[in-house]
Amino acid sequence: MDKDYKPVYLQIVEEMKRQMVTGKLSLGDKLPSIRDVALEFKVNPNTVQRSFRELETQELIETKRGIGSYVTQDQNLFTKMREELLQRKLRSFLEDMKELRVDKKELLQRIEEEHYE
């Protein structure tokens, strides 16, 4: 079984968070309509609605009835979300490296060789 499997609505949540962290969506930005997001991801609008509800629960977006949904303006939430995503990605990467039996010395050497900046 694929350990990375996630329901579609959570995949959309993760994508929206990624867009927020990378700056494609900024604090206070209006989100595309549910219909537009459904077309983009080729899913049912109800799936997108569920994603938006999840983002609202996490206080990352706010929906104003009849007007649309907007990214939070709370910088602290953005910072916390970025840190959580960073930690999750880092843990996953390190687990993969352990599975491949890459030791710390080799890992650091390879990172240095890639000239990560």
Side-chain angles (χ1 to χ4, degrees):
M1 186 169 165
D2 184 1
K3 70 177 184 176
D4 294 331
Y5 171 77
K6 287 185 185 169
V8 174
Y9 86 96
L10 289 177
Q11 292 176 41
I12 294 170
V13 168
E14 290 299 315
E15 175 57 21
M16 299 296 272
K17 286 180 174 182
R18 188 189 66 71
Q19 289 182 19
M20 291 175 192
V21 169
T22 61
K24 186 173 181 184
L25 289 171
S26 299
L27 295 172
D29 278 358
K30 184 174 183 179
L31 296 177
S33 71
I34 288 174
R35 184 174 307 195
D36 288 344
V37 175
L39 288 171
E40 177 184 346
F41 287 96
K42 298 177 177 69
V43 296
N44 186 299
N46 292 332
T47 303
V48 177
Q49 180 64 41
R50 187 171 182 191
S51 301
F52 277 30
R53 276 196 309 267
E54 179 62 28
L55 289 165
E56 286 174 345
T57 299
Q58 296 178 26
E59 299 180 347
L60 294 172
I61 68 170
E62 178 184 352
T63 299
K64 299 175 183 174
R65 192 170 178 94
I67 300 175
S69 296
Y70 295 82
V71 176
T72 184
Q73 294 192 41
D74 187 336
Q75 180 64 50
N76 291 331
L77 282 174
F78 253 50
T79 302
K80 181 181 174 187
M81 177 184 54
R82 181 185 180 279
E83 181 61 28
E84 288 171 359
L85 288 171
L86 174 64
Q87 285 298 323
R88 192 174 331 123
K89 295 278 189 185
L90 185 57
R91 264 187 251 112
S92 176
F93 171 74
L94 292 174
E95 286 172 9
D96 289 346
M97 294 304 100
K98 285 178 185 176
E99 187 176 309
L100 291 171
R101 298 181 178 187
V102 177
D103 66 23
K104 183 178 178 180
K105 182 178 177 181
E106 180 184 0
L107 178 59
L108 292 172
Q109 177 185 350
R110 296 224 179 198
I111 290 171
E112 184 65 33
E113 288 171 359
E114 289 295 322
H115 302 288
Y116 181 78
E117 295 178 24

